[in-house]
Amino acid sequence: MVWFFFIVVITIFLALDLGVFNKTPHIISSKEAGIWTSVWVSISIAFSGVIYWLYQNNYLDNPTQLKPLEASIKFLTGYLIELSLSADNIFVIAIIFSSFKIAQKYQHRVLFWGIIGAIFFRGIMIFFGVLLIQKINWITYVFGAFLLFTAIKMLFKNEEEDFNPKDSKIYKIIGKIIPITEHRDNEHFIIKENNKNYATPLLVALLVIEVMDVVFATDSVPAILAITSDPFLVFSSNIFAILGLRSMYFFLANMLEKFSYLEYSLIAILFFVGIKMLLVHFYKFPEWVSLSFIAIALATGVIVSLKKANTQEPK
């Protein structure tokens, strides 16, 4: 019943989002995005209190025998991990929108449907990830090693490499399934020309974003599984991070260059959770250590980035 009500509430949130608050396509200002970002962060933090209540009253299956406070901290830690790893996702989304020349007033619609798909695909990945950890003990070493590999790859990646969505395999696959047109018809994803259906840039951008989210989820899902294998905590923290991603995108899209050192925070977090997963059968870090490390790593990246940006600004 808890799972059912949680999904119903999320569905209501999404319905209100598209059907009421953003019924008419419009350009989302930084102020509006900032307000919604604050709202989603506040709701997410408040939900940690709901987690405490649920586990205190045994309203959920508790396969890992978590205490209420421990469950709340794990939820917040997982939420912070997912939120921090979304930073790269935001950058890629900005590139995709720019590449396909998606008008600002239609970007929210694309991200809305992208989130629907992200919830579905992440749900599948989380289900199999939790199942693997519960059935195969040594799979934690595989996930841990993969996270360390990802962190090292990020640390030494070539900054000159540019991502061009139109050169991606998914773009070529879409073109083989349905013809792609450069023409636009307001917010429509498919238009008909000469009795033939064509995919508009909005649909192509949506599908490319969807695929890229799955790619990013291969990092973020194992990362949160290093914190907990409790399916409800993993799923709910993922969902809240995804729901807040849209407003965070519109809030940060124009300021991404200012957060140049945030990348190193993400690398540090991946290193930490990777090591934690490799040591899970030998030593378990206290929950406050994980939450504190991730929070400090993020705060350090943001502060250093802003100070560096301020010193580089012409006086």
Side-chain angles (χ1 to χ4, degrees), residues 36-165:
W36 277 109
T37 299
S38 301
V39 168
W40 279 116
V41 170
S42 299
I43 292 174
S44 302
I45 293 173
F47 191 74
S48 65
V50 176
I51 292 289
Y52 185 95
W53 175 72
L54 290 173
Y55 282 78
Q56 185 181 44
N57 294 282
N58 298 315
Y59 289 143
L60 273 167
D61 288 335
N62 192 354
T64 52
Q65 301 301 308
L66 295 174
K67 295 178 181 178
L69 181 59
E70 190 180 11
S72 294
I73 294 176
K74 282 182 179 292
F75 168 80
L76 287 173
T77 305
Y79 171 71
L80 274 181
I81 287 178
E82 293 302 318
L83 210 57
S84 61
L85 293 178
S86 295
D88 275 354
N89 210 349
I90 289 174
F91 181 73
V92 171
I93 289 172
I95 294 175
I96 293 171
F97 281 152
S98 175
S99 177
F100 294 110
K101 297 180 173 62
I102 305 300
Q104 287 186 0
K105 65 179 180 178
Y106 298 132
Q107 290 179 5
H108 182 276
R109 181 176 176 82
V110 174
L111 288 180
F112 174 88
W113 291 109
I115 281 169
I116 299 295
I119 290 173
F120 174 75
F121 288 116
R122 292 208 183 196
I124 293 175
M125 296 178 72
I126 288 167
F127 172 79
F128 285 106
V130 171
L131 191 66
L132 284 172
I133 284 182
Q134 290 177 347
K135 299 293 182 181
I136 308 173
N137 286 334
W138 54 263
I139 200 70
T140 55
Y141 301 128
V142 176
F143 285 160
F146 176 73
L147 291 174
L148 289 179
F149 168 77
T150 303
I152 294 171
K153 187 178 178 182
M154 287 175 65
L155 186 61
F156 294 103
K157 75 175 182 181
N158 184 0
E159 295 295 336
E160 300 299 320
E161 293 180 0
D162 290 324
F163 170 66
N164 187 352

Side-chain angles (χ1 to χ4, degrees), residues 161-233:
E161 293 180 0
D162 290 324
F163 170 66
N164 187 352
K166 292 186 177 180
D167 290 336
S168 63
K169 290 182 180 179
I170 182 62
Y171 181 82
K172 296 172 184 176
I173 292 172
I174 295 169
K176 291 179 180 179
I177 297 173
I178 181 172
I180 298 172
T181 179
E182 292 295 325
H183 295 161
R184 292 165 172 77
D185 185 9
N186 295 328
E187 57 188 40
H188 295 146
F189 290 110
I190 296 177
I191 60 174
K192 184 169 284 189
E193 294 180 351
N194 301 320
N195 294 321
K196 191 174 183 180
N197 289 326
Y198 287 84
T200 67
L202 265 72
L203 178 61
V204 179
L206 170 63
L207 294 176
V208 174
I209 287 173
E210 207 68 76
V211 171
M212 293 308 300
D213 182 76
V214 172
V215 172
F216 280 110
T218 58
D219 294 337
S220 63
V221 171
I224 195 172
L225 288 173
I227 303 301
T228 178
S229 59
D230 183 298
F232 187 76
L233 294 180

Side-chain angles (χ1 to χ4, degrees), residues 265-284:
S265 297
L266 306 185
I267 292 171
I269 290 171
L270 286 176
F271 263 114
F272 176 77
V273 294
I275 291 171
K276 182 176 181 179
M277 195 161 249
L278 290 174
L279 298 177
V280 69
H281 297 301
F282 307 98
Y283 177 75
K284 291 189 177 182

